[in-house]
Amino acid sequence: MDAPKHPVLSVLLPVYNAEAYVSEALESILNQTFKDFEVLVADDGSVDSTRQIIDAYEDSRIRRLHSDVNRGKVAICDFLLKYAEGVYVTVHDGDDWSDVNRFEKQVSLLTSNPRLGMCGCGFRSYDAKGTFISNHVMPTDFDTIKLEIRLRSQFHGPTMMFRKSILNEIGGLYRYFTHAEDIDFSMRVIEKYEAVNLPDLLYNYRVHTESLTNRIGLINDQRFINYELINFLADQRKQKGIDSLMSGDTEEFEEVRASLLEFYLNDPTLKYDRAIGRFLSLNMWAQAFKVFLICLFRHPLKMNTYKILKNMIQQVYA
């Protein structure tokens, strides 16, 4: 008897309270020109009709692995990965959609270039109503990516497609971080493998206030120290070949985390400055101004609050 054929690609689809968008996400996956894939979808404890919408689909490529409690994106993606049988893996957000030829182009690039451990692509951003905001062309030169990744993200998380075979060597998929987990992952990938972006705009990113990375209510200290923590771990790997999270020896890691948190506690306006910068990079002017108003209300006597306003105006009119 022939052994069962495994799919070329595994699509991990974690979904939480996305009843308004999950059908569009699933349809964009199921209608791809590339057909040899599986969809591992998990409703992550939603309290709306997300699960019922998912379960109404009848397609043999869909594997449902729902969770009755909300575990969060990092935990649910790592859970789904255990069941993935594809040569390649991508994590698709439940409120976004992919162009019909996205999988075909990315699988073709990875298949034709065995040196690549991962590839991403450009994307378009839209507001909650589906109105176009802007195009985002991601860097395509590996040497540039290696130079810049310590300063800013070089891949848009849900566009990344990678070889499953590299995960053990780089320390797994997502880890400690509840924000910027994809940056930590991509940094670990390029330390061992080449990784590039296709110049094509193949993914459509829905920017709305309920999106995890854009929720104003989540302007907290922890999310803004993540990049410093990621670089700290990268320095450890460069020196020792392994980092604290890989070894399980987290005492030094926690000391660094506490020190970075103290930096933001001493000047809480810094986190608002960082949040404004993110919103402006996505052309979300109204969200950026709302963040400034929150900062002004909470810290009216700090001079840096007014420097933030000056910087924001300069960015808008640059």
Side-chain angles (χ1 to χ4, degrees):
M1 181 180 294
D2 293 336
K5 181 178 180 296
H6 294 307
V8 171
L9 173 66
S10 293
V11 183
L12 311 186
L13 182 62
V15 188
Y16 177 67
N17 286 352
E19 62 181 5
Y21 311 115
V22 66
S23 288
E24 188 171 17
L26 261 173
E27 294 288 347
S28 78
I29 293 169
L30 296 174
N31 292 325
Q32 289 285 308
T33 55
F34 181 82
K35 303 297 184 184
D36 193 358
F37 62 84
E38 62 177 354
V39 187
L40 287 79
V41 57
D43 168 53
D44 191 20
S46 295
V47 295
D48 62 6
S49 62
T50 294
R51 184 172 302 191
Q52 291 90 328
I53 294 170
I54 294 169
D55 289 347
Y57 279 84
E58 295 182 2
D59 191 303
S60 61
R61 294 170 295 180
I62 298 176
R63 299 172 63 190
R64 298 169 179 83
L65 296 158
H66 298 320
S67 174
D68 290 331
V69 296
N70 180 243
R71 301 166 66 175
K73 182 177 180 180
V74 169
I76 206 70
C77 282
D78 286 338
F79 167 72
L80 289 174
L81 183 66
K82 295 177 182 178
Y83 297 90
E85 297 179 346
V87 177
Y88 309 117
V89 179
T90 189
V91 179
H92 198 294
D93 283 351
D95 49 4
D96 300 338
W97 69 100
S98 288
D99 282 11
V100 68
N101 58 348
R102 179 195 154 205
F103 293 172
E104 181 180 2
K105 288 192 172 186
Q106 289 189 270
V107 168
S108 176
L109 179 64
L110 288 168
T111 302
S112 63
N113 191 341
R115 294 176 302 174
L116 285 179
M118 181 179 76
C119 71
C121 63
F123 65 100
R124 310 174 193 90
S125 56
Y126 297 81
D127 66 17
K129 296 180 180 179
T131 303
F132 174 77
I133 299 175
S134 60
N135 292 327
H136 305 265
V137 178
M138 303 301 288
T140 58
D141 177 68
F142 182 54
D143 289 335
T144 300
I145 289 170
K146 285 194 296 183
L147 287 173
E148 296 292 326
I149 199 165
R150 295 293 296 262
L151 302 174
R152 59 187 64 85
S153 176
Q154 299 295 292
F155 299 89
H156 185 53
T159 74
M160 298 189 302
M161 186 180 291
F162 54 89
R163 299 180 191 276
K164 187 184 176 189
S165 59
I166 72 175
L167 292 176
N168 286 338
E169 186 179 0
I170 67 170
L173 179 55
Y174 294 154
R175 309 197 293 176
Y176 165 90
F177 306 94
T178 53
H179 310 285
E181 70 281 344
D182 53 332
I183 300 173
D184 171 61
F185 175 70
S186 61
M187 194 174 289
R188 286 182 283 122
V189 170
I190 70 165
E191 289 170 1
K192 304 227 178 238
Y193 296 90
E194 290 186 21
V196 298
N197 288 291
L198 286 167
D200 313 62
L201 306 174
L202 301 173
Y203 191 82
N204 302 283
Y205 171 54
R206 198 184 303 274
V207 182
H208 54 89
T209 55
E210 293 306 309
S211 175
L212 179 63
T213 53
N214 297 309
R215 216 175 298 164
I216 287 179
L218 290 178
I219 299 174
N220 55 51
D221 302 325
Q222 179 63 57
R223 70 179 304 176
F224 293 112
I225 66 170
N226 280 341
Y227 220 103
E228 287 88 345
L229 285 172
I230 288 168
N231 278 314
F232 163 72
L233 293 171
D235 288 337
Q236 283 191 321
R237 293 191 299 273
K238 186 175 181 180
Q239 296 167 8
K240 308 174 185 177
I242 192 171
D243 65 39
S244 296
L245 297 183
M246 291 174 175
S247 67
D249 181 12
T250 59
E251 183 176 347
E252 184 179 10
F253 176 82
E254 290 298 337
E255 289 178 358
V256 172
R257 188 174 75 88
S259 174
L260 291 169
L261 283 172
E262 186 68 24
F263 179 70
Y264 281 97
L265 290 174
N266 289 336
D267 188 353
T269 63
L270 294 172
K271 62 187 177 185
Y272 296 98
D273 194 17
R274 295 280 296 275
I276 287 168
R278 170 171 174 77
F279 287 128
L280 290 179
S281 72
L282 293 168
N283 295 327
M284 297 177 66
W285 319 114
Q287 293 294 97
F289 188 64
K290 287 178 183 177
V291 173
F292 169 73
L293 291 179
I294 294 171
C295 181
L296 181 63
F297 176 77
R298 293 178 179 174
H299 309 287
L301 301 181
K302 282 193 172 289
M303 286 302 298
N304 197 48
T305 298
Y306 303 95
K307 291 180 182 178
I308 290 172
L309 177 62
K310 179 182 177 182
N311 292 338
M312 184 167 62
I313 293 171
Q314 288 176 338
Q315 289 184 64
V316 170
Y317 290 100

